[in-house]
Amino acid sequence: DQYVEGFKPDGLWSLDENLYPRNELPDLSRIQDAANGVRMAQYGGDLLIPHVTGLLRWRPQKWRFLGMSQEGGTEGDITKGWGRCMGVVGYGNMFFAVR
């Protein structure tokens, strides 16, 4: 079991029961930006994470890009993102993203 601790510019970090840190987004760890992870929000059991490469949808053991300007934009297996995302806010059954 991992416990999500927080976001740093190099990724989303969690700690296990022995306090061993693990980067949950190792594929993106080299793409660092001070705004990565700022204003992330929980939505439908997932974590929506603004990132310099686009909006990420994360759940344990899995993440995908979301690309809002494309058909099927909330389906991460269809799109590859659309560039820098600056923030996201969930409201009821909707979420709003700023790029």
Side-chain angles (χ1 to χ4, degrees):
D1 290 314
Q2 296 291 111
Y3 305 96
V4 174
E5 188 65 25
F7 207 97
K8 294 178 21 182
D10 63 345
L12 180 67
W13 289 86
S14 66
L15 300 172
D16 64 13
E17 64 274 357
N18 297 318
L19 300 180
Y20 181 77
R22 183 174 92 188
N23 190 342
E24 298 288 341
L25 301 169
D27 299 343
L28 300 177
S29 64
R30 293 188 299 172
I31 305 171
Q32 298 185 22
D33 189 85
N36 285 348
V38 176
R39 298 186 189 104
M40 60 184 169
Q42 186 274 336
Y43 178 77
D46 296 334
L47 192 57
L48 300 178
I49 305 169
H51 195 270
V52 69
T53 58
L55 181 61
L56 307 174
R57 174 184 251 168
W58 179 87
R59 67 175 53 197
Q61 310 297 322
K62 176 175 159 178
W63 68 272
R64 292 183 171 173
F65 281 111
L66 299 181
M68 303 313 297
S69 63
Q70 304 171 36
E71 187 173 339
T74 58
E75 304 300 325
D77 56 343
I78 295 175
T79 91
K80 292 291 185 191
W82 75 101
R84 179 185 291 272
C85 179
M86 296 302 293
V88 62
V89 175
Y91 181 77
N93 64 350
M94 300 180 289
F95 70 88
F96 302 90
V98 178
R99 63 178 212 140

